[in-house]
Amino acid sequence: ILAGGKSTRIGVNKALMKIKGKSLLRHVVDKVGRVASEVVVVIGKGDARAEFSKILPRSIKVLNDTDTSEYESPIIGMITGLEALKSEYTAVLPGDAPFIREEVLDYLFCKANRTDAAVPRWPNGWIEPLHAVYRVRSMVHAIRATLKAGELRPFNAIKRLDKVIYVPIREIRKIDRKLLTFTNINTPEDLEIVRRIMSKAKTGFYSSSHREG
């Protein structure tokens, strides 16, 4: 889970903002923890690890981005997390997407089996590299080659993989009808939309009995 950096339009680290008594990051971690046996959260180089650890279960590994380059890119955070994993496959997710569906993750893990990645793709060709499942070893090699070439886009790493399954969004819509899985927060308006959705939710998918202190 990538949870580093401040939003220029919100002014704080989005992952730490609270909605319904829980940080956005905790909403994501709680969903992912029901699917994955190993969860790693990658935060920015200058972020205080203790600030994140205190809102997460002890089983969650929190890592500072160790890259020393002057550039910022999701693949830099990705490789930090990937290199810490023991799993053969992993989902890569943003820390500000509170409506991630467990069933969608299960589906992507199944599609990725015996391949290097399962990446959602929209009808216009755009892909969702931060809502995808990757073979850990393959993606580490691909990212290293991408960074060595001076490239920073996740797509540049994905195209270096040998076998990628691009999952049509229409397939995911069968599981998540409104595609809320892909909802993330970039603006104050996005935050208000998420709060409205959560306030209308009755029980179950959007709620949890746990609240942070």
Side-chain angles (χ1 to χ4, degrees), residues 48 92 126 144 185 202:
V92 172
W126 291 357
R144 285 175 181 165
I185 296 173
K202 295 179 181 178

Side-chain angles (χ1 to χ4, degrees), residues 109-154:
F109 273 110
C110 288
K111 296 293 285 187
N113 187 38
R114 299 187 181 184
T115 75
D116 291 318
V119 184
R121 181 163 61 186
W122 294 86
N124 63 2
W126 291 357
I127 63 172
E128 294 283 355
L130 302 186
H131 284 83
V133 169
Y134 301 96
R135 190 194 299 268
V136 173
R137 184 179 299 179
S138 300
M139 195 57 172
V140 166
H141 291 322
I143 292 176
R144 285 175 181 165
T146 299
L147 292 173
K148 187 176 181 179
E151 300 167 349
L152 297 171
R153 295 173 58 205

Side-chain angles (χ1 to χ4, degrees), residues 31-208:
K31 301 282 176 55
V32 172
R34 297 171 195 153
V35 176
S37 58
E38 185 180 17
V39 179
V40 173
V41 173
V42 181
I43 60 178
K45 287 178 285 188
D47 291 337
R49 193 181 303 177
E51 189 174 8
F52 289 81
S53 295
K54 71 182 180 182
I55 65 170
L56 297 174
R58 292 183 179 180
S59 61
I60 306 301
K61 185 181 294 184
V62 179
L63 300 175
N64 287 96
D65 189 341
T66 57
D67 187 81
T68 58
S69 77
E70 59 184 296
Y71 303 107
E72 292 186 4
S73 167
I75 65 169
I76 296 172
M78 286 169 69
I79 195 168
T80 299
L82 289 167
E83 290 181 330
L85 289 168
K86 299 176 182 177
S87 310
E88 182 179 5
Y89 286 91
T90 187
V92 172
L93 301 165
D96 65 340
F99 301 140
I100 288 169
R101 291 287 297 265
E102 301 153 47
E103 297 90 342
V104 171
L105 294 180
D106 280 333
Y107 186 71
L108 291 174
F109 273 110
C110 288
K111 296 293 285 187
N113 187 38
R114 299 187 181 184
T115 75
D116 291 318
V119 184
R121 181 163 61 186
W122 294 86
N124 63 2
W126 291 357
I127 63 172
E128 294 283 355
L130 302 186
H131 284 83
V133 169
Y134 301 96
R135 190 194 299 268
V136 173
R137 184 179 299 179
S138 300
M139 195 57 172
V140 166
H141 291 322
I143 292 176
R144 285 175 181 165
T146 299
L147 292 173
K148 187 176 181 179
E151 300 167 349
L152 297 171
R153 295 173 58 205
F155 173 74
N156 295 126
I158 292 170
K159 71 181 184 180
R160 286 180 164 86
L161 297 172
D162 290 332
K163 187 174 182 181
V164 178
I165 300 295
Y166 289 101
V167 182
I169 290 296
R170 66 176 181 275
E171 293 185 17
I172 295 175
R173 193 184 293 277
K174 295 175 184 177
I175 305 169
D176 180 2
R177 185 171 58 85
K178 294 184 177 180
L179 298 177
L180 291 177
T181 286
F182 300 112
T183 301
N184 66 342
I185 296 173
N186 295 307
T187 66
E189 291 76 18
D190 293 338
L191 180 60
E192 286 308 309
I193 289 171
V194 167
R195 284 177 170 154
R196 286 201 300 271
I197 293 172
M198 285 193 174
S199 67
K200 292 177 181 178
K202 295 179 181 178
T203 57
F205 176 62
Y206 302 124
S207 65
S208 171

